[in-house]
Amino acid sequence: MTAIKHALQRDIFTPNDERLLSIVNVCKAGKKKKNCFLCATVTTERPVQVKMVKVKKSDKGDFYKRQIAWLLRDLAVVDAKDAIKENPEFDLHFEKIYKWVASSTAEKNAFISCIWKLNQRYLRKKIDFVNVSSQLLEELPKVTEESVPSGENQSVTGGDEEVVDVYQELNAREEQDIEIMMEGCECAISNAEAFAERLSRELQVLDGANIQSIMASEKQVNILMKLLDEALKEVDQIELKLSSYEEMLQSVKEQMDQISESNHLIHLSNTNNVKLLSEIEFLVNHMDLAKGHIKALQEGDLASSRGIEACTNAADALLQCMNVALRPGHDMLLAVKQQQQRFSDLREQFARRLASHLNNVFVQQGHDQSSTLAQHSVELALPNHHPFHRDLLRYAKLMEWLKSTDYGKYEGLTKNYMDYLSRLYEREIKDFFEVAKIKMTGTTKESKKFGLHGSSGKLTGSTSSLNKLSVQSSGNRRSQSSSLLDMGNMSASDLDVADRTKFDKIFEQVLSELEPLCLAEQDFISKFFKLQQHQSMPGTMTEAEDLDGGPFSRQHNAGVPLPVSSEKDMIRQMMIKIFRCIEPELNNLIALGDKIDSFNSLYMLVKMSHHVWTAQNVDPASFLSTTLGNVLVTVKRNFDKCISNQIRQMEEVKISKKSKVGILPFVAEFEEFAGLAESIFKNAERRGDLDKAYTKLIRGVFVNVEKVANESQKTPRDVVMMENFHHIFATLSRLKISCLEAEKKEAKQKYTDHLQSYVIYSLGQPLEKLNHFFEGVEARVAQGIREEEVSYQLAFNKQELRKVIKEYPGKEVKKGLDNLYKKVDKHLCEEENLLQVVWHSMQDEFIRQYKHFEGLIARCYPGSGVTMEFTIQDILDYCSSIAQSH
């Protein structure tokens, strides 16, 4: 136990300036034995505080930790359970009763005795001791604290403070005397026993001398005894006085303790007052709203700029007061509850007043803006909403305040804004598209012809009228193609070009008006309603979600603010509802343009692609980007439909059996389409769509040219193929379409092949017998007959050769060539102007045949002297003369 006392004193009580007086090993009664120590301690500083401390051994190691402490003055009763029998149980009555069982009765009695003595010394018998043996309560002589040495040499047992004998070092004088004695006795160093014996003898001599001196001085002894008796009486008197002084000092000590405790309570009260003042100042500074702010919230003018600024400042101050972080316990104060209720009432009142005012502003905007529609009805321009946005943006901070304080009213304002503005924009946009359609068609009568009725801008008319219009337009293009091919330009009339240019400008102006309108409204919605529009977004919202209210209504009926990712959804949802008429109106306008001229789809595809690309660069998920992207899909479908219609028209082409074919209509239309497309798609973003269309069209042209050539009765197949593929090759060479380089080479090859085929076929007729004769000669040589022996064949001898040659004199050859020229002239069309090219090819082929015949005569009939009756020069003269004469 002693080791534990020292350990506890060292580790726990010395750091806290306390001294351990008594200790008992206990456990709680009636529970599992979890041992701990009850320690009686006093502080080393005045005023002295007597405590009882519960110390428990830590679960994580061999060290002890302080668990709980009680002041001894809070102890009311000590119950030892039995004053006669030995019983280790005892109870301590503090604010509640603690029941303990000591490890031994002796430890319990020693601990209770220590408590009794501390009670006598410091508390003046304030504790009741019940069932305690009277022997334990005997008062021992008081030991002053000053008589008890402090430090490590101090030991406490059972509450008594006794001085323990310890080794004391010699002082300097004692050391000096011993050294002198040892110098006089040198043997002390060599023989300690002799030295001790000598000292003993000397001591006996001295004692004897002392006794003899005393006995000789008996009178003096009597006097000394008398003096001692008197001294004892004086001592008794002094002790009585000291006792009285001690009682007086004890009273003074108690008064000083009371004063010290009173000072402690005064200090504690002052500290509490300072803390209370700090809390009150905190509440006053953070939860006090100025009267000017209250007046602004209740009566502030929301129509003037100064009033809006005052209301904004007041709303911010109110929000700061409501959002102040209260310290623990503040919310239980009645004044705080009343102030919070006052703030809530002010917030509700101002939010209601603000919402009502802004609703009136929205309604007034609809009326004011409607009055400006008349001046825009004749112009292709949308009304400017910038003044309205500028006026409303003054309330942006108040809307932010409303969003954070009363989300229900904020949401209501948002819906009202969408309702009012959607009706306003619907009127403006429909009138705008009405003007655009009238400008496209020219007059109101023409617009009715194209199925445009009323201000709604809806297109009517059956599919048959659309087909009829397409057939008429294609027929016009075919009729104009023949007169414009020699110009090397598109095969559309100047009127068609003007109409298409006009349509292109109107369509571009429509998109250019819509784009800033949507962007300005989206930017205003973001700023006014405090919605972030530059965060990453998860996908787009469908129109069906918008009609049902979308996630905005489903997730925020309880007034919970939107997360950042949903705020952009809300912007897009608001834009969809406000501009819900843009997409159908654009689709109607596109249908009208396609109805007027199917080639308008090319203009629309380029313009729409450019605007979609621009919108996606700004914000890929914005309303404008999404809407224009949807409309672009419609335009692309119309473009694909235009290509499919052209291919279908190619397949349905029927040629006359009585007239020559010439350049087929769909070949001319392809030239017109390609020229128009190249001028439109120059530097366009969607060049790939055009390249795909080119591939489909050119394949259709190739296939159907060959089909028509096979069906032609009046014009030879080679002529049809040669003329049309020459035209295709010329068109591709002029336009330099990179994706059709392979088709250009194929067209040139087909043109060359069919030109050669037609020339060879045609030249077989003027020298028909001569051709048959030499074909027979070549057949004999092919059978193995030597060339010089062919003349011995009966059917191919020299006489037969001369006979055949005489049938083709120069005059007859010229006549045959003239008839051939006339026949070729009848086969070829004037548009393509290939007559001279064909005639020159025939001339070259005829000369090649002539040289071939001359070579066969020289090899097969050597030395016969047989020659043709006309020369190469004669052939050149004949051909030139015939060409000039025609």
Side-chain angles (χ1 to χ4, degrees):
M1 185 64 74
T2 304
I4 295 176
K5 287 180 184 178
H6 284 287
L8 294 179
Q9 177 68 50
R10 182 185 65 249
D11 298 337
I12 294 179
F13 298 112
T14 299
N16 292 326
D17 296 328
E18 293 176 309
R19 286 190 291 114
L20 175 61
L21 300 180
S22 182
I23 184 171
V24 58
N25 187 359
V26 297
C27 64
K28 288 187 178 181
K31 293 189 176 181
K32 294 182 179 179
K33 290 190 176 182
K34 292 184 178 179
N35 290 348
C36 58
F37 295 98
L38 290 179
C39 304
T41 66
V42 293
T43 58
T44 58
E45 295 181 356
R46 293 184 180 276
V48 176
Q49 290 187 351
V50 185
K51 297 179 182 179
M52 191 175 299
V53 182
K54 179 183 175 184
V55 177
K56 186 179 179 182
K57 192 171 184 179
S58 175
D59 297 333
K60 299 181 179 179
D62 294 334
F63 61 91
Y64 295 89
K65 63 180 181 179
R66 188 184 189 119
Q67 193 169 18
I68 188 169
W70 302 273
L71 290 175
L72 192 61
R73 67 168 175 263
D74 295 334
L75 180 62
V77 178
V78 176
D79 187 358
K81 295 297 183 179
D82 196 331
I84 301 173
K85 296 181 181 180
E86 291 187 357
N87 186 355
E89 297 183 1
F90 65 98
D91 296 344
L92 300 179
H93 293 228
F94 289 99
E95 73 278 0
K96 65 179 184 177
I97 300 174
Y98 294 90
K99 296 180 180 293
W100 304 102
V101 179
S103 60
S104 67
T105 306
E107 283 189 22
K108 180 189 84 168
N109 293 337
F111 188 71
I112 292 176
S113 177
C114 180
I115 295 175
W116 181 80
K117 292 174 183 178
L118 291 172
N119 176 48
Q120 293 294 317
R121 182 177 182 83
Y122 296 104
L123 303 180
R124 309 302 293 176
K125 303 180 181 178
K126 292 181 179 179
I127 302 175
D128 293 334
F129 290 83
V130 181
N131 298 323
V132 180
S133 173
S134 59
Q135 296 176 357
L136 296 177
L137 302 181
E138 292 180 356
E139 185 173 1
L140 297 180
K142 297 179 180 177
V143 182
T144 62
E145 292 181 16
E146 289 78 3
S147 65
V148 181
S150 60
E152 296 298 330
N153 297 328
Q154 179 180 316
S155 176
V156 181
T157 14
D160 295 328
E161 302 177 17
E162 298 176 351
V163 179
V164 179
D165 292 335
V166 294
Y167 169 77
Q168 295 184 354
E169 294 182 1
L170 298 177
N171 55 33
R173 184 175 179 181
E174 292 172 341
E175 288 180 358
Q176 186 177 1
D177 291 341
I178 292 175
E179 287 176 358
I180 292 172
M181 184 182 296
M182 292 177 69
E183 286 176 359
C185 303
E186 296 179 358
C187 63
I189 299 174
S190 60
N191 190 347
E193 291 181 359
F195 178 66
E197 185 178 353
R198 178 180 175 182
L199 289 179
S200 178
R201 286 197 303 268
E202 290 179 357
L203 182 60
Q204 289 176 1
V205 171
L206 288 175
D207 287 342
N210 287 335
I211 293 171
Q212 289 175 3
S213 175
I214 291 171
M215 292 177 66
S217 305
E218 181 176 355
K219 183 178 181 180
Q220 292 180 357
V221 170
N222 292 331
I223 295 172
L224 178 62
M225 292 299 291
K226 184 178 180 181
L227 290 174
L228 287 175
D229 291 336
E230 292 176 357
L232 288 174
K233 291 178 181 180
E234 291 293 331
V235 169
D236 290 338
Q237 291 178 1
I238 291 172
E239 283 184 353
L240 290 174
K241 288 182 180 181
L242 288 175
S243 297
S244 64
Y245 293 158
E246 185 178 0
E247 289 178 359
M248 294 171 64
L249 289 173
Q250 182 65 30
S251 176
V252 172
K253 178 181 178 299
E254 291 177 357
Q255 291 177 5
M256 292 301 296
D257 289 343
Q258 291 177 358
I259 292 172
S260 176
E261 186 173 356
S262 177
N263 289 337
H264 175 71
L265 293 176
I266 292 172
H267 176 73
L268 182 62
S269 176
N270 289 337
T271 303
N272 290 336
N273 289 335
V274 171
K275 290 183 178 179
L276 179 60
L277 180 61
S278 173
E279 297 295 328
I280 293 174
E281 288 178 348
F282 172 81
L283 293 175
V284 170
N285 292 335
H286 291 86
M287 295 193 68
D288 185 30
L289 190 61
K291 292 182 179 179
H293 288 332
I294 296 176
K295 185 176 180 181
L297 292 173
Q298 292 176 340
E299 304 172 2
D301 184 12
L302 289 171
S304 65
S305 298
R306 181 174 296 180
I308 293 172
E309 183 179 0
C311 290
T312 302
N313 295 334
D316 290 340
L318 176 62
L319 185 61
Q320 289 178 3
C321 290
M322 296 186 70
N323 291 340
V324 63
L326 295 177
R327 296 169 184 171
H330 284 176
D331 53 351
M332 300 178 66
L333 297 175
L334 179 60
V336 172
K337 292 180 179 178
Q338 291 175 348
Q339 191 75 343
Q340 287 178 332
Q341 183 61 41
R342 190 177 296 114
F343 290 157
S344 298
D345 295 341
L346 273 174
R347 179 191 65 186
E348 180 65 25
Q349 180 183 355
F350 180 68
R352 188 165 53 249
R353 198 162 68 90
L354 176 63
S356 176
H357 177 77
L358 289 178
N359 277 326
N360 293 334
V361 173
F362 297 158
V363 174
Q364 185 63 34
Q365 158 67 7
H367 293 311
D368 294 345
Q369 201 73 14
S370 298
S371 62
T372 63
L373 292 178
Q375 65 184 15
H376 293 280
S377 60
V378 295
E379 302 175 7
L380 191 57
L382 284 165
N384 187 6
H385 288 249
H386 176 69
F388 175 60
H389 290 166
R390 182 192 58 218
D391 293 340
L392 274 181
L393 282 176
R394 298 181 301 169
Y395 302 94
K397 291 184 178 180
L398 289 176
M399 283 298 295
E400 183 178 11
W401 175 86
L402 190 64
K403 180 181 179 183
S404 61
T405 57
D406 194 337
Y407 198 81
K409 288 187 174 57
Y410 169 83
E411 185 180 13
L413 275 177
T414 304
K415 291 182 178 178
N416 289 339
Y417 179 83
M418 290 189 291
D419 292 339
Y420 292 132
L421 268 293
S422 61
R423 291 196 290 268
L424 174 62
Y425 275 120
E426 187 171 4
R427 293 196 302 271
E428 293 177 356
I429 291 171
K430 285 187 175 181
D431 291 345
F432 172 72
F433 275 93
E434 179 72 18
V435 174
K437 292 170 185 176
I438 291 174
K439 288 184 177 291
M440 283 182 181
T441 55
T443 62
T444 306
K445 291 183 179 180
E446 290 179 355
S447 67
K448 290 181 178 179
K449 180 180 73 173
F450 290 112
L452 181 62
H453 299 288
S455 61
S456 63
K458 292 183 179 178
L459 286 170
T460 60
S462 62
T463 307
S464 59
S465 64
L466 179 61
N467 294 336
K468 182 178 179 181
L469 180 64
S470 300
V471 172
Q472 288 175 353
S473 61
S474 63
N476 291 336
R477 288 195 294 270
R478 285 196 297 269
S479 64
Q480 295 155 2
S481 62
S482 60
S483 62
L484 295 176
L485 272 173
D486 56 342
M487 297 173 62
N489 282 322
M490 295 182 297
S491 60
S493 65
D494 293 339
L495 181 60
D496 285 340
V497 173
D499 288 344
R500 290 170 181 166
T501 304
K502 176 183 176 183
F503 174 84
D504 183 38
K505 290 181 179 179
I506 294 173
F507 191 74
E508 171 62 25
Q509 189 173 357
V510 168
L511 296 179
S512 299
E513 288 287 326
L514 288 176
E515 186 171 335
L517 180 72
C518 293
L519 292 176
E521 184 63 31
Q522 179 169 316
D523 184 61
F524 167 75
I525 288 174
S526 173
K527 292 178 180 178
F528 182 70
F529 292 100
K530 293 301 176 182
L531 301 172
Q532 299 186 25
Q533 58 174 335
H534 297 294
Q535 296 291 332
S536 59
M537 290 206 32
T540 59
M541 182 183 298
T542 62
E543 193 168 343
E545 287 180 333
D546 173 51
L547 296 176
D548 293 337
F552 173 63
S553 62
R554 290 195 299 270
Q555 295 177 3
H556 307 293
N557 289 331
V560 180
L562 286 162
V564 174
S565 59
S566 297
E567 288 188 352
K568 198 167 184 182
D569 290 338
M570 183 177 172
I571 292 178
R572 188 172 61 255
Q573 179 183 352
M574 292 177 67
M575 292 291 291
I576 289 173
K577 187 166 185 178
I578 291 173
F579 293 107
R580 58 191 172 192
C581 63
I582 285 184
E583 187 170 339
E585 288 294 335
L586 272 174
N587 288 333
N588 289 340
L589 188 69
I590 289 166
L592 176 63
D594 192 57
K595 205 170 185 182
I596 294 172
D597 188 347
S598 61
F599 280 5
N600 284 337
S601 61
L602 277 71
Y603 292 98
M604 291 188 286
L605 181 62
V606 172
K607 296 298 182 185
M608 190 61 69
S609 299
H610 175 70
H611 283 272
V612 169
W613 179 80
T614 304
Q616 287 182 343
N617 283 342
V618 176
D619 185 358
S622 66
F623 163 78
L624 181 65
S625 178
T626 305
T627 301
L628 294 183
N630 294 339
V631 176
L632 178 60
V633 172
T634 303
V635 173
K636 179 63 170 58
R637 288 173 183 165
N638 290 345
F639 175 74
D640 294 339
K641 184 179 177 182
C642 173
I643 302 301
S644 300
N645 288 338
Q646 291 195 51
I647 295 175
R648 189 181 69 252
Q649 290 174 9
M650 295 177 194
E651 297 170 350
E652 294 174 354
V653 164
K654 302 295 181 182
I655 59 173
S656 173
K657 297 181 179 179
K658 297 182 179 180
S659 60
K660 59 185 176 181
V661 176
I663 302 302
L664 294 171
F666 56 80
V667 174
E669 287 176 1
F670 173 77
E671 179 186 15
E672 177 188 3
F673 174 84
L676 179 64
E678 286 301 307
S679 64
I680 295 173
F681 278 80
K682 188 176 182 181
N683 301 324
E685 286 83 5
R686 295 182 69 95
R687 177 76 195 191
D689 294 330
L690 180 62
D691 292 343
K692 293 177 183 177
Y694 276 149
T695 304
K696 292 180 181 179
L697 281 175
I698 200 68
R699 285 293 106 201
V701 169
F702 280 15
V703 170
N704 287 285
V705 166
E706 191 165 353
K707 174 188 172 186
V708 172
N710 293 333
E711 295 174 354
S712 174
Q713 297 180 2
K714 183 72 174 179
T715 306
R717 178 179 182 276
D718 287 331
V719 172
V720 176
M721 297 285 284
M722 172 186 65
E723 288 183 324
N724 282 280
F725 279 108
H726 177 267
H727 191 85
I728 294 170
F729 170 72
T731 299
L732 297 180
S733 298
R734 174 171 56 83
L735 296 178
K736 298 178 181 179
I737 302 173
S738 58
C739 67
L740 296 180
E741 280 298 319
E743 285 75 7
K744 182 180 77 172
K745 293 178 182 179
E746 184 180 353
K748 181 179 181 182
Q749 187 62 42
K750 286 181 179 291
Y751 154 70
T752 305
D753 293 344
H754 288 285
L755 171 63
Q756 189 68 22
S757 175
Y758 177 66
V759 168
I760 293 173
Y761 171 77
S762 300
L763 280 178
Q765 298 176 0
L767 306 176
E768 185 175 1
K769 293 182 179 180
L770 195 60
N771 276 333
H772 288 320
F773 182 85
F774 282 112
E775 285 176 0
V777 171
E778 290 176 341
R780 294 295 185 278
V781 173
Q783 291 173 0
I785 300 176
R786 296 172 60 185
E787 291 181 343
E788 58 271 16
E789 294 178 358
V790 172
S791 60
Y792 298 107
Q793 299 289 321
L794 182 61
F796 301 102
N797 56 26
K798 297 177 183 178
Q799 289 77 11
E800 291 295 326
L801 175 61
R802 288 191 180 97
K803 184 178 178 180
V804 172
I805 288 175
K806 285 183 180 180
E807 292 185 11
Y808 293 103
K811 183 177 180 181
E812 191 66 26
V813 169
K814 182 178 180 182
K815 181 180 178 181
L817 289 174
D818 187 63
N819 292 334
L820 179 62
Y821 186 90
K822 292 176 180 178
K823 193 168 186 176
V824 170
D825 189 23
K826 289 180 180 180
H827 289 164
L828 300 179
C829 65
E830 296 178 0
E831 296 93 330
E832 202 59 23
N833 197 22
L834 287 177
L835 179 60
Q836 295 304 319
V837 175
V838 173
W839 184 244
H840 185 72
S841 297
M842 286 187 169
Q843 173 185 297
D844 293 341
E845 179 64 21
F846 192 48
I847 293 173
R848 188 192 65 77
Q849 287 187 12
Y850 179 88
K851 292 180 179 179
H852 180 63
F853 294 158
E854 286 285 338
L856 287 175
I857 292 173
R859 293 194 303 275
C860 297
Y861 302 96
S864 63
V866 179
T867 59
M868 304 287 284
E869 295 192 2
F870 56 92
T871 63
I872 291 176
Q873 186 59 44
D874 292 336
I875 294 173
L876 294 173
D877 293 339
Y878 297 156
C879 291
S880 176
S881 174
I882 292 170
Q884 290 176 2
S885 64
H886 291 280

